[in-house]
Amino acid sequence: MAIRRAKQKAQVIEKLSQVAPPGETFIACVHVETGPSPWLNAVFDEVPLLGLIVALTRRFYFLTLTNSSIVVNTASRWTNRPGEVVAVFPRHALPVSRVKRASIWSSMYLQLPNAAKPTRLNIHRYWRAELDQLSTAFPPGSIDPSSQPFELAPKGMPYPGQQGQPFPQQQAYPAPPAQPYPPQQGQPYPPQQPYPAQPYPQQQAYPAPPAQPYPPQQPYPPQPGQPYPPQQGQPYPPQQPYGGQPGHPAQR
C-alpha cells in the first residue's frame, strides 16, 4: 500500500503514461475523496452502522494536471493504486465550482460524466501543495469567496459564475402603480336619506290603585287561663266602680 505522496504520484504517472499522447507532461497529482465533509465522521460514528455506511459509500480519485488536460482516474480504497480513467477535461474547460481552500480539509464540486449534479470532492491538507498547482486550471468565478487564497491561483477570479460566466444581475420587478378602489360598475351610491327625527312618546301616567285597607287581624285564640279579648270593633264596656268588700274601709 502506497502511503507517501511521491510513491502514489509515481504510480499514477506510470498508469497514465500508458495511454497519454506523446509529449504529455505531468505537472501535479491530487488525491481526493467524495462524500460529506470528513469533519462529520465523528458525528456519524455515534450512530450505529451509520459511520460504516458513509465510509463505504465514499469514492476515491486522483486528479492529474498535465500541460493540456486534467485527468480523473479512480483510486483503490485499500491500496491507493490508480485505476481506470473516468474523465478527461481540457485545461480551459474544467467543470469545477465552489472551490474552497481550508486549513485541513479543502473541497470543490466537480461535474463528473453521467452524474446528475456536481460531486463534492474533499482534499486533505497533505495534498495542499498539489492543490495549489491544480488551481491554475480553475476557471474564473469558481473559487468561493470564503476560501483561503491559493498560492499559485491567478489573481482577480471573482465568485460565483459557472465556466467563467458571472451570474446575471437580478432584475428588479417594478412595483405596480397604486390603483384606486374601482367604482361600482358606474353606479353611484344612492344619497343617504336622513332619518326622520321622531319625538319620544309621552309616558302614560297610570292611575294609582285604590288604597286597600289592611284586613282586620284575627286575634289568636286565648290561652288557657287568659281572658278572652274583646271582639274587634266592639268598644270596651264601661268600667264599674269597685264596690269594695264588706268590712273594707271604703264602705265606711
Side-chain angles (χ1 to χ4, degrees):
M1 176 179 179
I3 298 177
R4 298 181 58 191
R5 284 179 301 173
K7 182 63 175 180
Q8 296 182 42
K9 290 161 60 177
Q11 293 177 347
V12 173
I13 293 174
E14 180 184 1
K15 180 74 173 181
L16 297 181
S17 298
Q18 301 174 5
V19 294
E24 194 77 4
T25 303
F26 300 98
I27 302 173
C29 184
V30 183
H31 183 272
V32 301
E33 62 181 72
T34 65
S37 173
W39 290 112
L40 299 176
N41 288 341
V43 178
F44 297 150
D45 291 340
E46 296 296 328
V47 182
L49 298 180
L50 181 59
L52 178 61
I53 294 174
V54 173
L56 293 178
T57 55
R58 293 186 186 274
R59 297 292 180 265
F60 300 89
Y61 297 96
F62 283 107
L63 274 61
T64 304
L65 175 66
T66 71
N67 59 325
S68 64
S69 307
I70 295 93
V71 185
V72 183
N73 56 298
T74 60
S76 172
R77 181 187 305 274
W78 314 112
T79 63
N80 288 334
R81 293 191 63 86
E84 62 179 353
V85 175
V86 296
V88 178
F89 303 105
R91 285 190 56 153
H92 64 277
L94 179 63
V96 67
S97 61
R98 289 186 283 176
V99 183
K100 186 175 181 180
R101 185 180 190 264
S103 300
I104 304 298
W105 283 101
S106 302
S107 64
M108 68 176 69
Y109 286 81
L110 180 65
Q111 181 64 56
L112 295 174
N114 302 324
K117 59 182 180 179
T119 302
R120 178 186 172 110
L121 302 178
N122 304 300
I123 307 97
H124 193 266
R125 180 185 175 88
Y126 187 69
W127 297 89
R128 170 175 289 190
E130 287 75 13
L131 179 62
D132 286 346
Q133 292 177 303
L134 181 64
S135 67
T136 58
F138 293 159
S142 61
I143 299 179
D144 192 287
S146 62
S147 171
Q148 296 179 358
F150 290 89
E151 295 180 0
L152 301 178
K155 305 300 182 181
M157 294 169 54
Y159 183 85
Q162 298 293 335
Q163 301 297 332
Q165 297 296 329
F167 281 108
Q169 295 182 358
Q170 299 293 328
Q171 299 294 330
Y173 290 97
Q179 297 292 336
Y181 193 85
Q184 297 292 332
Q185 299 298 325
Q187 297 294 332
Y189 286 101
Q192 298 293 328
Q193 298 295 332
Y195 188 81
Q198 298 292 337
Y200 285 99
Q202 295 183 358
Q203 298 293 331
Q204 299 293 332
Y206 291 96
Q212 298 291 334
Y214 286 100
Q217 299 294 330
Q218 297 295 330
Y220 289 98
Q223 296 296 328
Q226 296 292 332
Y228 193 84
Q231 297 294 327
Q232 290 189 7
Q234 300 295 328
Y236 285 98
Q239 297 293 329
Q240 298 295 329
Y242 183 71
Q245 297 293 332
H248 195 274
Q251 298 295 327
R252 296 179 181 179

